[in-house]
Amino acid sequence: MHKAAGVHSGASFVASLDDEREVWYDGQRVDVRTHPAFAGVLGELGRLYDLQHSDAHHKEMTWTSPQTGHPLSLSYLAPATPAEFAAKTRNSHLWMEHSHGQLPRIPDFVANVVVGLYDYRHELGKVDPQFARNAENYYLYCREHDIALTHAIGDPQIDRSASLAEHPDNALRIVERRADGVVVRGAKQLATLAPYCHEVMVYLSPAFFMRSAPEYVIWFALPIATPNLRLMCRESQTEHRNSFRHDLSSRYDEQDAMLFFDDVFIPNHRIFLLGDCQTAAAGFARISAWALYVGQIRFYHRLRTFLGVAGLAAKAIGVKDFREIGDQLGELTSYVELVRLAIVGLQNELRPTSGGHLAPGVTLALDAFAAQVSARVAQIVRVVCGSGLVMQPSEADLANPVLRPLLERYMGGKDVDVVFKSRLFRLATELVSDRYGMRQELYEMWNRGDIVRNRIALFESYPARAAIEANIVALLDGASAALHAANSGPEST
């Protein structure tokens, strides 16, 4: 357990990862603090944590613990007033702005899931009073120690056509119940940022709640360095990359991991819910309210990055004033502005929760919109940049005295030299064409859940729908009455 010291600095965060975590990369067990595949993101996380101590942002990113007097991250503030919510929003904008929207599972995100868990504690307490106490204690622990969390809610892709009875490994399950806790077996996938986190929070996806399988319903949190919890990371896009060729992936490839729970013991005090499908299904959205809002702030800053790259690229090759390119840039700008306005709207539709806090408006429409337009945004950058995404000189090419005059003449741009243009178009390539960009695009498609399910849920839960439909019925009734009167008048005889 970490000593309570308030917000991390970059150095204290890196030092806090010195534990017995079992992280596997490319067939080898590794130390994330020293392995080159993890260096880029580790450095960026350290830089972001240092913002909390900087003169420029300390007051905008922290608040004072009522228990210890230590500065705490505003990511962990459970807002009870509009001013507190506004302070949280500003903090999230700083995290996302300083990472250019490139870290979807930045520590600010799952911290807000823990805020949601704390807010939902009274409902958990109706199932078992101990669950409420556990949720509150865990929130306080994370808050006071600036805990970095991942969450693991995706199930392995083994045979999703099979039932749980036919293939019990399709979902994490309890295999032993003890007086002091439970033992779980199974796997969870795509735990983003997991190698760099202190803890993992697990709350199963709604798909299994709908199947009324209470034996699979378990919410809990554990240290990453828990015995028999193994993390297998995907191939890194950071290792052997430099900032000239790979400005984004060398710094922001945040890693995804499969988590293998090989008969892992969960003590009672770390369990937040067991066996109650209804409470789990109702709580899945409740505990994500603040995190989903933060996710939209991150998407906004990601769109701004696309807009900045596309605009600079259009200028660099002299096409900004071409009508068809201006149309594409205007479309991209409209997405940026629509998301900004939606975030403002969410902030101005604060709603009180049963837990005594203020939650933002529902994000379902924005969730669907982001998944819908992210591929289109990438396509706009491809159109603007054209063949420049394919052919740019390397750092060695630029350093070659024979090639350099040719590169300046034939591969420079409008009012920019060949070095700037090469780096800019390489940045664009990472955003929309290479393996890093494709991973990010897949993430945008799926990280908010199934877009079809979200659209259906949006329609079914839309509060104005009944009034709108009633207006249409009244319009039809009025038209029918008018038609009947016309047909019953003197002229009809």
Side-chain angles (χ1 to χ4, degrees):
M1 181 177 289
H2 303 289
K3 294 180 181 179
V7 291
H8 275 296
S9 65
S12 71
F13 170 70
V14 174
S16 71
L17 303 182
D18 182 12
D19 54 28
E20 298 301 315
R21 65 187 57 212
E22 191 172 336
V23 178
W24 293 83
Y25 175 75
D26 198 22
Q28 302 292 321
R29 186 171 178 178
V30 299
D31 184 341
V32 298
R33 297 170 303 147
T34 58
H35 194 283
F38 301 87
V41 173
L42 193 61
E44 284 302 303
L45 289 173
R47 183 180 63 81
L48 292 168
Y49 275 112
D50 278 337
L51 292 178
Q52 299 183 129
H53 293 268
S54 69
D55 292 339
H57 299 302
H58 176 71
K59 291 182 179 179
E60 294 178 293
M61 299 182 76
T62 66
W63 59 297
T64 302
S65 167
Q67 278 82 21
T68 66
H70 289 141
L72 305 179
S73 171
L74 277 166
S75 300
Y76 279 111
L77 177 65
T81 67
E84 289 180 346
F85 190 90
K88 273 184 73 67
T89 295
R90 176 58 182 154
N91 172 65
S92 293
H93 273 288
L94 285 169
W95 279 95
M96 307 311 173
E97 178 184 353
H98 282 270
S99 56
H100 308 285
Q102 296 298 303
L103 291 174
R105 283 300 174 264
I106 205 164
D108 183 52
F109 183 88
V110 185
N112 277 287
V113 177
V114 178
V115 170
L117 179 74
Y118 173 65
D119 179 71
Y120 196 57
R121 67 193 185 283
H122 299 305
E123 302 306 314
L124 300 173
K126 293 176 183 178
V127 180
D128 186 330
Q130 186 61 47
F131 295 156
R133 291 191 289 270
N134 291 350
E136 181 170 0
N137 290 336
Y138 188 68
Y139 163 73
L140 293 173
Y141 167 68
C142 292
R143 185 183 81 177
E144 297 294 327
H145 297 81
D146 205 10
I147 295 298
L149 286 108
T150 185
H151 65 170
I153 55 179
D155 299 299
Q157 291 179 318
I158 305 170
D159 180 3
R160 292 186 172 176
S161 68
S163 68
L164 293 176
E166 295 170 316
H167 208 318
D169 285 334
N170 271 354
L172 189 75
R173 67 195 187 280
I174 296 172
V175 293
E176 182 184 352
R177 296 179 183 268
R178 295 167 25 179
D180 55 347
V182 299
V183 176
V184 297
R185 181 184 302 163
K188 302 298 286 184
Q189 69 172 14
L190 296 188
T192 304
L193 204 72
Y196 309 96
C197 291
H198 304 116
E199 302 250 342
V200 57
M201 186 173 165
V202 176
Y203 46 108
L204 304 186
S205 83
F208 287 116
F209 306 155
M210 297 174 190
R211 302 181 192 183
S212 299
E215 65 273 23
Y216 286 88
V217 174
I218 177 170
W219 290 11
F220 63 90
L222 288 175
I224 293 293
T226 294
N228 297 330
L229 174 56
R230 299 182 173 91
L231 279 64
M232 186 192 76
C233 300
R234 61 165 169 78
E235 185 179 352
S236 172
Q237 298 169 49
T238 297
E239 196 173 9
H240 310 308
R241 295 191 170 203
N242 64 40
S243 60
F244 180 90
R245 292 177 292 169
H246 307 284
D247 272 304
L248 293 177
S249 59
S250 64
R251 300 163 62 191
Y252 297 116
D253 184 31
E254 59 190 339
Q255 258 299 347
D256 305 289
M258 287 290 296
L259 271 56
F260 300 113
F261 294 82
D262 191 16
D263 290 6
V264 172
F265 173 68
I266 306 168
N268 283 330
H269 73 277
R270 284 302 194 95
I271 298 173
F272 312 124
L273 183 63
L274 273 178
D276 192 299
C277 297
Q278 184 175 354
T279 302
F284 190 81
R286 267 285 301 275
I287 70 171
S288 299
W290 291 272
L292 288 171
Y293 172 73
V294 165
Q296 303 306 336
I297 293 174
R298 194 273 314 166
F299 186 61
Y300 167 66
H301 287 282
R302 175 168 164 80
L303 289 178
R304 283 168 57 94
T305 297
F306 274 83
L307 180 61
V309 169
L312 286 170
K315 291 178 184 178
I317 56 177
V319 299
K320 182 183 75 68
D321 295 325
F322 289 13
R323 179 178 172 82
E324 61 273 23
I325 296 299
D327 176 50
Q328 302 273 312
L329 294 173
E331 181 183 343
L332 179 49
T333 307
S334 74
Y335 297 145
V336 175
E337 188 64 0
L338 283 170
V339 173
R340 184 190 69 81
L341 291 170
I343 290 170
V344 172
L346 292 171
Q347 188 176 353
N348 284 281
E349 289 191 352
L350 297 179
R351 50 202 167 95
T353 70
S354 61
H357 302 108
L358 288 177
V362 177
T363 64
L364 272 174
L366 262 183
D367 294 337
F369 178 76
Q372 177 180 316
V373 304
S374 59
R376 173 59 186 156
V377 168
Q379 178 62 16
I380 289 173
V381 175
R382 294 188 191 107
V383 170
V384 171
C385 292
S387 62
L389 295 172
V390 177
M391 188 70 205
Q392 291 298 329
S394 70
E395 193 171 15
D397 292 332
L398 291 165
N400 186 289
V402 176
L403 292 176
R404 183 59 180 261
L406 298 171
L407 300 179
E408 291 285 3
R409 178 179 297 178
Y410 298 112
M411 299 193 75
K414 181 180 180 180
D415 301 324
V416 296
D417 64 18
V418 68
V419 176
F420 179 85
K421 182 187 170 191
S422 174
R423 293 196 68 172
L424 174 63
F425 274 74
R426 286 176 180 277
L427 187 69
T429 299
E430 284 197 284
L431 277 177
V432 303
S433 294
D434 79 351
R435 203 155 51 96
Y436 173 83
M438 291 301 100
R439 181 265 178 195
Q440 298 289 76
E441 193 169 314
L442 277 172
Y443 188 94
E444 297 297 349
M445 183 184 299
W446 293 109
N447 88 91
R448 302 166 190 86
D450 176 12
I451 185 173
V452 174
R453 186 183 68 203
N454 287 340
R455 284 171 173 164
I456 292 171
L458 175 63
F459 173 74
E460 295 294 344
S461 64
Y462 186 52
R465 182 163 61 92
I468 292 170
E469 291 175 353
N471 285 340
I472 300 302
V473 171
L475 183 152
L476 293 173
D477 288 344
S480 296
L483 181 62
H484 178 74
N487 290 335
S488 302
E491 296 84 352
S492 65
T493 59

